Amino acid sequence: MPKALKVLLVVVLIKSLAWMGLTPIFQVPDEPSHFSIVQFIAEKGRRPHPRRELVTSQEALTVSSLVNFNWKIVHPVWLGYQSNWIKAIKNIPQSDRSVFLPNSQQKSLKRPPLYYFLATPFYLSVKSQSFLWRFFLVRFFSVLAGLATVYLAYQTAQLVFRRLDLAMAAAALVAFQPTLSFIGVGVHYDPLAVLVTTAFIFLSLNFLKTRKRPWFRWSLATGFLAVLIKPDLIVLPFTLVFLVKKNRLKLILPAIFVLVAILSLLPAALTSLITSNNFLSNQLLYLTNLNEYAYHAQFFLESLFTGKIFFQFKDYLAATAPGHLAQVFPWYWGVFGWLEATLPLWVYRLLKLVVLAAAAGLAALGFKLARQTKLFRRQVGFLGLVVLSHLAVVVLNDFKIFAASGEIYGIQGRYLLPVVAGQMIFLVLGLSQLVAKKHYPVLSRLIIAAAIGLNLIGLATVYQYFGWVWS
C-alpha cells in the first residue's frame, strides 16, 4: 500500500470521527428507523416481520423525546437537545431496550436485510452498555465501510489512470465528498451500498484487464449481493452483459427475454403464494424485495407495451424538471440534517464551474478516444455504463411514483452516491484533459487540497447548524 494512501486513510478516519461526533443522534435521514431494526435483531435474535411486527423500542422512543426528535418529521427537525440529556439517556432502564411498542412512523421494514445483519455485531459488542455506546458503535460500522470504500476507490482509479497522483486525487474526492461524509457516519445502509458498488466496479474493471473468469464471478456475486442492501442496485448484475464476448451473448440474450417474461407474470404468482403459503412468502420478504421488483417490472412492461410510458414520462419531465435542476446538484454535494442545512451558495457556484470544466475535458477526450488503448476505452465505457444505468434506475423509480399517484416524490442527491467512485474518476479524468501530463502532479495536489477544503466547509456547516451538543 503506498504511503500516501495510508496517510489518506488515517486522515479519513479522523475526519469521519469528527463528523460522527458533530452529527446529533437521529439527525441522519431515516437513522432512527434503521437503528430500531438493528436493535430488534440484536435483542430478539432475528429479523422483524416486514409487515406485522412492532419494531420501535421503548428506549428508542425515550431517547427520541430527550433529543427532541419528532418521528413525524415536522420541519424543522432539529430543535436541540433537552438539558441534562446525557445523564437522562444513561438512566434509561435496561429493560426498555427489549420492549417494542407501536409506532406508525417506523420506516424501512421492507428493506433488504444485509446491512442490518452486518451492523448488529457492533451493537452486540457493547450490548450491556448504555444507549450511547451501542448507537455510536453501530455508527462506527458505517465509518469502517467508508474507509474500505476509499481504499477500493483508489485501487479502481489506479486501474484507469495507472498513476499514483491521479488515483489519489479520485480517492480523495470520494473520501471528502460532503454528503457522503455526513451519510457515511450514520446508522444507514447507504455507506455499505457505496462500498459494495465500488467493489463491484473494481472487480469488473479487473476482469476487463485480465479476462480471468474468477474476477467475473466475483463481480457477478457482488452485484447480486448489492441487491440485498439496496433495491436500486439490481441494475449492477445486468451491466455485466456488456463485458461478455459476442459469441456468449447468444446464450445470455434469450435468458434475458425469459427473465422479462417471468417478471411480467410474477406479481400474480406472488400474490397467490402470499395468500396460500405464509411460510414461503415470509422467506421471500425476509431475503429481499422480490415482490416489489416484480410489481415494478410489471408496471414498466405494461406501460411500454401499451405506449403509455412515453406520454407519462413527458408529463413527468414537465412536472419535475424544474425541481430536479434546482435541488439534485446541491443536495448531491452537500445537504445535512433532514435536508435542512446546505453549503454556502458560492460553494455550489464554484462546483458547477469545476463540473463544467471536467465535462469539457471529457468531451475533448471523446474526440481522442480512438487513439487510446482498447483496454482504456472499455474501462471508460463500462464506468460510464454503470454510472448512467444507476442514474436511470433512480429516475425511473421517481417516475413510477409520479405515474402511479401523480405525486412528485423527488430525487435526493444521496440516491446517486452508490456510484460515487465512478463519478469522481470521471471528474478527475475530465480535468486531467485540460492540462499537460507534466502538470498532473500539481493538478492532483490541487484537487486533494480542494476536496479537503470542501469537506471542512461541510463540517463547519454542520457545526453551525447543530452547534456543540456535548456540553
Side-chain angles (χ1 to χ4, degrees), residues 429-444:
L429 186 60
L431 293 175
S432 68
Q433 302 306 306
L434 304 179
V435 299
K437 286 187 177 181
K438 63 181 180 180
H439 299 309
Y440 281 178
V442 175
L443 174 66
S444 299

Side-chain angles (χ1 to χ4, degrees), residues 269-346:
L270 284 173
T271 301
S272 176
L273 275 175
I274 289 172
T275 56
S276 64
N277 191 331
N278 285 331
F279 175 79
L280 184 55
S281 66
N282 287 344
Q283 299 311 306
L284 290 171
L285 288 169
Y286 187 82
L287 290 173
T288 184
N289 286 26
L290 183 58
N291 56 332
E292 298 292 332
Y293 297 140
Y295 282 107
H296 289 333
Q298 186 184 49
F299 169 82
F300 285 114
L301 288 171
E302 289 179 353
S303 297
L304 185 63
F305 291 148
T306 60
K308 289 193 304 182
I309 194 169
F310 303 106
F311 299 103
Q312 291 171 324
F313 199 74
K314 179 182 176 182
D315 294 339
Y316 166 76
L317 289 177
T320 63
H324 289 166
L325 291 173
Q327 293 175 345
V328 174
F329 185 88
W331 283 4
Y332 172 83
W333 282 103
V335 64
F336 316 111
W338 290 72
L339 309 179
E340 293 178 311
T342 57
L343 297 170
L345 289 177
W346 63 267

